[in-house]
Amino acid sequence: MAIKTTYVLQKRASTEEEYPRPQFKRTEWYDLNGEWQFEFDDEDRGEPEKLFNQKKDLMQTIQVPYAYQSKKSGVEVDENHEVVWYKREFHWEKNTDKNLLLHFEAVDYHTKVWVNGEFIGEHEGGHTPFSFSITNAICNGENTIVVRAEDQNSVEQPVGKQSWKGDNFLCWYSRTTGIWQSVWLEEVPLQYIEDVKMTPRVEEGRLSIEASLPRQKKKAYFEANVYFKGEWIDTVGVWVKENQTSVELTANVESDQADFRVFYWTPDTPNLYDVMFQLFVDQEIVDTVESYFGMRSIEVQEGRILLNRDTFYQKLILDQGYYNDSLMTGNYEQMESDLLKVKEMGFNGVRRHQTIADRRYLALCDELGLVVWAEMPSSFKFSSTSMFRMMNETREMVQKHYNHPSVIIYTLMNESWGVNEIYHREDQQAFVNALYYQTKAQDPSRLVVGNDGWEHTLTDILTIHDYNSDAESLRNSYEKMDFVNGSPSKTSRKQNYAKGYAYRGEPIMISEYGGIAYGNEQSDVEWGYGNRPQTEEEVLERLEALTKVIMENDAIQGFCYTQLTDVEQEVNGLLDHHHDYKFDPKKIKKILLSRQSNGFIFE
């Protein structure tokens, strides 16, 4: 039986390590991570029996935000339970001049929330953040939050790399059910800044700002103050009328410093501007939000990818975001350590594969200088239900990533997962194109890959997956440009483009290659791609040979190596299950340095 505990919540300083939304920072918040009451509901009786309104405790406890399948959760049950319940009691002193927001960074998959027995709202989607106002449900003194999470073992849900079978198989891993990213409270004024979209206009040296505001009860004034390394750059503002819900304005980012006007964001120079947003009512500041942005553009031109109008050669590593004792949930120190290792090995970006990263991870990429390919987790069955869910969660994914300068590309589908007959079926082609156009309409400032790996329809980049482990054979595959309208490799039955589509001059990238398996146990359960090397030296020799073949081909604009870490049964990481180096990072960096991001280094 769970031990009943009532928490007196303490205001927290907005530190980088813990604050869940570092690009939209208020000074104080309340952390709800930690011990919650927990219970499985295999017969799905919780709602009809009004478990959300009962005073009795739940049967177990769990450490939030870890999924019950993980070791860190304290539950660690490797079984499928589709419905789970959470309960958290806490003491609160209500302020009638404030709104109280309850934030969930990610809950897999369908969430319902009650506060003090009152239904607050629900959300569908396992990887994106959502919030509720609980102001009217909260009371002075003891309060209770109850959460019901339902995660059906369904291939019509976007599940990414979570296994939908009884056990793990191939490159699909342990499931994640329920709360798996931070839960927190935030007290805001009655009139407050709900969200801000920041769009850099590199050609103009300006930043476009669109602020979302709950319906205004009084006339207000919205202001943005821009700084660079402590130097004031510009202040712009606009009046907000009563009942108005959004405003737009443009800030200047030019500086008189040095010999250039705009400080660009690149992996080598990850320059970030600070910006403070403020809302005034009756000439008094009622809300202040601290943020930042980067001035960078990304575009394609004549078969090249341009970052800030300069040719940009991408050297990415595939990061699946799994941890051996916490599955898809990493803490700040783990994320920072991983990304510092990525930089140390000489990569200039990450392809975040089949899971959506924590916002602190994205902020670290902004600060450290790593470009990010954001990817929507796949469903695995084509149906009206799966299309509806993919469209909705993709939209939320784009909204989450919009302000991060490190994010340059959205990948919407991977290897035709969920659209297995896209080569010849027009409805599946139309669906991927619908995702492409939706994303372009929502965020025209970034590049979009419709179906990564093969069988492309609409796409800004021709991305190819090729796990050929023989360097000479790999070289021969890309000697002549007619490969663009053929197969991604000589051993593949797939085609680079779906029927009715063809190469139109897009930049070409090898977005998955390598996958060299090398583990300690050498067991039959462990696997990777190609013949398995027996020594570290053999792994590095193959890595060097394959990578140089790609880098020496001027038609190819970059690559993504598979992968950063070992994940459960898959042991093709450059880091092991504990995220420690398997190989000397200096040796890997030396291999990658034979080509710079904007050209060659000739030794």
Side-chain angles (χ1 to χ4, degrees), residues 443-462:
D443 185 357
S445 69
R446 289 179 171 89
L447 305 181
V448 177
V449 175
N451 180 31
D452 193 81
W454 51 67
E455 296 178 332
H456 287 280
T457 54
L458 294 180
T459 188
D460 293 334
I461 307 172
L462 169 54

Side-chain angles (χ1 to χ4, degrees), residues 533-587:
Q534 299 302 306
T535 65
E536 291 184 22
E537 290 72 21
E538 287 183 60
V539 175
L540 292 174
E541 287 174 5
R542 186 184 299 177
L543 171 62
E544 181 174 18
L546 295 173
T547 304
K548 283 194 171 182
V549 163
I550 295 171
M551 292 193 296
E552 289 169 359
N553 190 323
D554 289 338
I556 298 172
Q557 300 301 300
F559 56 82
C560 179
Y561 182 79
T562 304
Q563 61 185 343
L564 179 59
T565 72
D566 291 347
V567 182
E568 299 190 348
Q569 71 271 13
E570 190 172 355
V571 292
N572 47 29
L574 297 182
L575 309 180
D576 64 20
H577 287 97
H578 301 286
H579 294 216
D580 295 323
Y581 286 119
K582 289 185 185 178
F583 315 99
D584 184 346
K586 294 179 182 177
K587 293 181 179 179

Side-chain angles (χ1 to χ4, degrees), residues 229-279:
K229 294 184 177 179
E231 178 198 7
W232 173 82
I233 302 294
D234 194 17
T235 297
V236 291
V238 62
W239 283 101
V240 186
K241 299 177 182 178
E242 294 180 24
N243 296 324
Q244 192 171 351
T245 58
S246 66
V247 292
E248 296 184 27
L249 63 164
T250 303
N252 172 42
V253 298
E254 296 178 354
S255 173
D256 295 330
Q257 291 188 31
D259 297 324
F260 43 89
R261 296 161 55 199
V262 177
F263 297 94
Y264 296 116
W265 187 95
T266 73
D268 294 329
T269 59
N271 292 313
L272 297 174
Y273 289 79
D274 295 311
V275 57
M276 179 182 292
F277 301 109
Q278 292 184 316
L279 190 66

